[in-house]
Amino acid sequence: MIRRTAPAGTPTLEESRTVAETTRSAPRYGNRPTMKDVAARAGVGLKTVSRVVNGEPGVTPETERRVREAVDALGFRRNDGARVLRKGRTATVGLVLEDLADPFYGQLGRAVEEVARAHGTLLINGSSAEDPEREQELALALCARRVDGLIVIPAGDDHRYLEPEIRAGVATVFADRPAGLLDADAVLSDGFGGAREGVAHLIAHGHRRIGFVGDRPRIHTAAERLRGYRAAMEDAGLPVDERWVAPGPTDPRRVTEAVEGMLAGPEPVTALFAGNNRVTVTAVRLLAARTARGDGAPVALVGFDDVELGDVLGVTVIAQDPAALGRTAAEQLFRRLDGAAEAPRRVVIGTRLLARGSGEIPPGPSA
Amino acid sequence: MIRRTAPAGTPTLEESRTVAETTRSAPRYGNRPTMKDVAARAGVGLKTVSRVVNGEPGVTPETERRVREAVDALGFRRNDGARVLRKGRTATVGLVLEDLADPFYGQLGRAVEEVARAHGTLLINGSSAEDPEREQELALALCARRVDGLIVIPAGDDHRYLEPEIRAGVATVFADRPAGLLDADAVLSDGFGGAREGVAHLIAHGHRRIGFVGDRPRIHTAAERLRGYRAAMEDAGLPVDERWVAPGPTDPRRVTEAVEGMLAGPEPVTALFAGNNRVTVTAVRLLAARTARGDGAPVALVGFDDVELGDVLGVTVIAQDPAALGRTAAEQLFRRLDGAAEAPRRVVIGTRLLARGSGEIPPGPSA
DNA sequence: CCCCGGCCTGACAACGTTTTCCAGGCTCTA
DNA sequence: TAGAGCCTGGAAAACGTTGTCAGGCCGGGG
């Protein structure tokens, strides 16, 4: 169930449905057999069934056989909810993604899952669709489910809402972006260094007018990459015309407008730095169409974050390692769950420049 | 927690850890306040707290204020596990994916999530990494968590293990591939029709020797697509040389070998049909390299399932609609959860041929 | 003035599991 | 043969929540 924001509970969809349909007071989940039923059928005590089901010692082989037989006949399956209530640990961790459909997060999520699995833990994940409010709903719903730990890829920039949860013992690690207004573990890519290297690469190939199209600057990663861009320009003693800098939403329309703006006019940019994979994809499309039209000199492009088939297309990128990001975050989480009490750590994972052609195009004659 | 296969319970990783570390008997989750604590602090009864937290009517504004104050002061959050135990419904559905990192499943998962969210339901998903045993572990672990329903993208081909669960009331819908040895709802893409159309498209452009590279035939979708290929060839009265047909794992090495085999020899194929997106990607790479080397006549290509940037690269594909697949499966699931008792349904979603260039290349002179 | 009906409120028993604790019956040893 | 253990099984109490139900209080009508 998804819970609304701040107060610990207000009626929800689910509420209204269940209230309506509840007539009898005993739920019984369709018609699930319980340990008691199994015990009755096998002619043994309740605890004996528990022992068998959990593989505890101290049960005669013959008794065990009878119990297993009853389990199979009835189709019994232990209710982990009840179990958790008694034991206190859920052996479950939650992952709040930003967008399930983005391959970058898919790889990250998969790495987290592998680590969780190696620790005998179930992973629950959901995505915030880049909406801060949904991020909060989701994270708190997971806390209400009493996950042992949480990995969050922030959509919002204020995570104080997690303070009570963390104080109550929910281990929490942030990935890809740091927490907002909260001191917590974080595992990040080196956005600043990567962008700086990418832009420096363009400069090294002779470019002086370089455009930057990235995400909204309230997103930490976007801000870092922009900072890297400015640093590289400054390193080279190049001025930055603010018309070359276009932070904002990364939907195709906005990106298209931004890029076309930079390529128009008397002094167009000769190279582009794309702030994330969505921008890169749109830019590739745009530049390909432009070349097909034979419209102006070729424009160089370096993108932050790899894109599928980027090698075939010859797109030069700053590649992140989403799997390493996920793996590292998960490992840190389990370190916390195993009791590590060190101060919050921030781990930064390096990036790699992959030169494939688009970043090595020299400036056109108009430069 | 991940449970081992058939018997209802054997010791696991988690077991051995918790047994070892349990000394005190009361769990208390770190140090979570309960409704009882809130009640004590607010000077009211337990049930009153429950009423406030759940937004039930019949509480004085003044009392409500006191309760909310205590909730905030203590950082209380309702324990949904206990709630579920009492109420019987978890308002949670499970999704067993085949591979989180595959964009196709990412989009499918996202669509499922949107529908679940619209129904006020939490989605738990995990991936089987294409391993039938992991699929089973995961699905059963979700059942032990008492999800209300399950959407499964099969990795294995025997799903009888779900019979007791379904009988016990877990609504179950299969997506992308049908269940094995089980009569259940399924939502599928039209692999047969799509492949037939794609191959017919190649034939219409003059090809007579067409290669098929797809996944292992025990995977239902792969078998269907192969069937579509054969049907199209037969429709046109063309013979199929078995050396042109290469089902098997879709890792780059195997695909590379298969394709190179078909392109060698005195009578090479002049066109390729790629059975899924991974094959397509590898084939695109291969053919691009071949063209760059100026090695032989260009080879036509149609792929099943779209790939990112396929438009820019000019790859002709049979596009599926993963979002529609996910949405439809989820809607069917909720129909079941709302009590629909109709016989198991099989829904087939159509595909679309996107002609972008690679599928319209005519056969070379050697043909 | 009393009684009734309506509101709030809280005590108590579930839900299905694990844990603790104890009681038998057995075997083994002195 | 008796006593001391051990093995096996069962009863009862938790875990944190919600459903039921009864009691207390108030105001209004008879």
Side-chain angles (χ1 to χ4, degrees), chain B residues 104 108 111 173-177 186-195 197 220-221 224-225 304 318-332 335 345-353:
Chain B
F104 179 81
L108 192 157
V173 175
F174 290 78
D176 190 45
R177 305 172 190 170
V187 179
L188 314 169
S189 271
D190 183 12
F192 173 75
E197 181 183 6
H220 178 267
T221 48
E224 281 294 287
R225 295 171 196 175
F304 200 104
I318 305 296
Q320 302 183 72
D321 190 343
L325 225 47
R327 193 177 345 104
T328 309
E331 279 161 1
Q332 174 67 11
R335 212 170 298 130
R345 296 209 301 180
R346 181 168 292 199
V347 178
V348 174
I349 305 229
T351 56
R352 267 178 22 253
L353 173 81

Side-chain angles (χ1 to χ4, degrees), chain B residues 37-48:
Chain B
D37 301 325
V38 174
R41 165 139 188 164
V44 300
L46 179 55
K47 179 61 192 180
T48 301

Side-chain angles (χ1 to χ4, degrees), chain A residues 78-103:
Chain A
R78 185 178 63 189
N79 183 331
D80 274 355
R83 169 169 221 250
V84 155
L85 182 58
R86 190 60 241 255
K87 299 197 73 149
R89 279 271 159 143
T90 55
T92 304
V93 300
L95 170 62
V96 179
L97 286 172
E98 203 231 22
D99 181 358
L100 242 183
D102 185 325

Side-chain angles (χ1 to χ4, degrees), chain A residues 209-210 229-230 233 238-245 267:
Chain A
R209 297 197 305 276
I210 302 174
Y229 162 84
R230 292 195 191 278
M233 295 296 273
L238 293 175
V240 173
D241 185 325
E242 288 306 316
R243 284 170 305 178
W244 304 341
V245 179
E267 288 217 315

Side-chain angles (χ1 to χ4, degrees), chain B residues 11-364:
Chain B
T12 61
L13 278 178
E14 185 249 346
E15 225 79 51
S16 37
R17 267 194 304 143
T18 24
V19 166
E21 78 196 16
T22 296
T23 52
R24 60 177 198 284
S25 86
R28 310 269 349 227
Y29 306 96
N31 222 341
R32 282 261 179 206
T34 73
M35 282 193 176
K36 200 159 111 186
D37 301 325
V38 174
R41 165 139 188 164
V44 300
L46 179 55
K47 179 61 192 180
T48 301
V49 176
S50 172
R51 277 197 265 260
V52 171
V53 166
N54 292 302
E56 288 169 27
V59 179
T60 308
E62 162 59 14
T63 309
E64 170 166 353
R65 194 192 55 70
R66 284 222 313 280
V67 171
R68 289 214 182 285
E69 194 174 281
V71 164
D72 289 347
L74 266 44
F76 168 79
R77 181 160 304 281
R78 185 179 62 190
N79 183 331
D80 275 355
R83 170 169 222 249
V84 155
L85 181 58
R86 189 62 239 258
K87 300 199 72 148
R89 279 271 158 143
T90 55
T92 304
V93 300
L95 170 62
V96 180
L97 285 171
E98 202 231 22
D99 181 357
L100 244 182
D102 184 325
F104 179 81
Y105 295 114
Q107 286 178 258
L108 192 157
R110 179 175 177 149
V112 171
E113 183 171 34
E114 292 305 325
V115 176
R117 181 180 151 83
H119 284 258
T121 294
L122 185 71
L123 178 74
I124 304 187
N125 55 24
S127 75
S128 63
E130 306 182 54
D131 176 351
E133 196 179 333
R134 267 181 78 167
E135 174 208 304
Q136 177 171 344
E137 283 176 18
L138 189 53
L140 290 181
L142 294 175
C143 289
R145 290 294 205 294
R146 293 294 186 270
V147 293
D148 297 334
L150 215 46
I151 294 181
V152 179
I153 296 174
D157 41 18
D158 181 355
H159 294 92
R160 281 174 299 179
Y161 69 89
L162 279 174
E163 263 172 4
E165 311 300 326
I166 293 174
R167 216 174 315 128
V170 181
T172 307
V173 175
F174 290 78
D176 190 45
R177 305 172 190 170
L181 308 177
L182 195 67
D183 192 25
D185 288 329
V187 179
L188 314 169
S189 271
D190 183 12
F192 173 75
R196 185 185 203 168
E197 181 183 6
V199 174
H201 183 75
L202 289 167
I203 295 172
H205 281 81
H207 295 274
R208 305 179 50 84
R209 295 197 305 274
I210 303 173
F212 175 95
V213 184
D215 213 327
R216 287 146 294 186
R218 70 168 183 76
I219 297 175
H220 178 267
T221 48
E224 281 294 287
R225 295 171 196 175
L226 178 50
R227 210 162 62 78
Y229 162 85
R230 291 195 191 277
M233 294 296 273
E234 190 173 330
D235 290 345
L238 294 176
V240 173
D241 185 325
E242 288 307 317
R243 283 171 305 179
W244 304 341
V245 179
T250 59
D251 58 289
R253 172 177 313 196
R254 210 279 303 180
V255 171
T256 302
E257 282 169 10
V259 170
E260 285 177 347
M262 293 179 196
L263 293 176
E267 288 217 315
V269 300
T270 62
L272 280 175
F273 187 82
N276 70 25
N277 55 0
R278 279 161 296 208
V279 174
T280 305
V281 166
T282 302
V284 166
R285 257 184 209 122
L286 234 62
L287 297 184
R290 201 161 167 276
T291 303
R293 284 198 309 270
D295 180 3
V299 172
L301 173 70
V302 173
F304 200 104
D305 199 11
D306 204 357
V307 294
E308 203 181 7
L309 288 174
D311 56 340
V312 175
L313 284 161
V315 184
T316 295
V317 297
I318 305 296
Q320 302 183 72
D321 190 343
L325 225 47
R327 193 177 345 104
T328 309
E331 279 161 1
Q332 174 67 11
L333 183 68
F334 282 102
R335 212 170 298 130
R336 292 282 179 202
L337 286 178
D338 289 346
E342 52 197 15
R345 296 209 301 180
R346 181 168 292 199
V347 178
V348 174
I349 305 229
T351 56
R352 267 178 22 253
L353 173 81
L354 304 180
R356 291 168 174 158
S358 76
E360 294 73 44
I361 297 172

Side-chain angles (χ1 to χ4, degrees), chain A residues 23 44-45 48 51 58 60 63 85-86:
Chain A
T23 52
V44 301
T48 302
R51 276 198 262 260
T60 307
T63 308
L85 182 58
R86 190 60 241 255

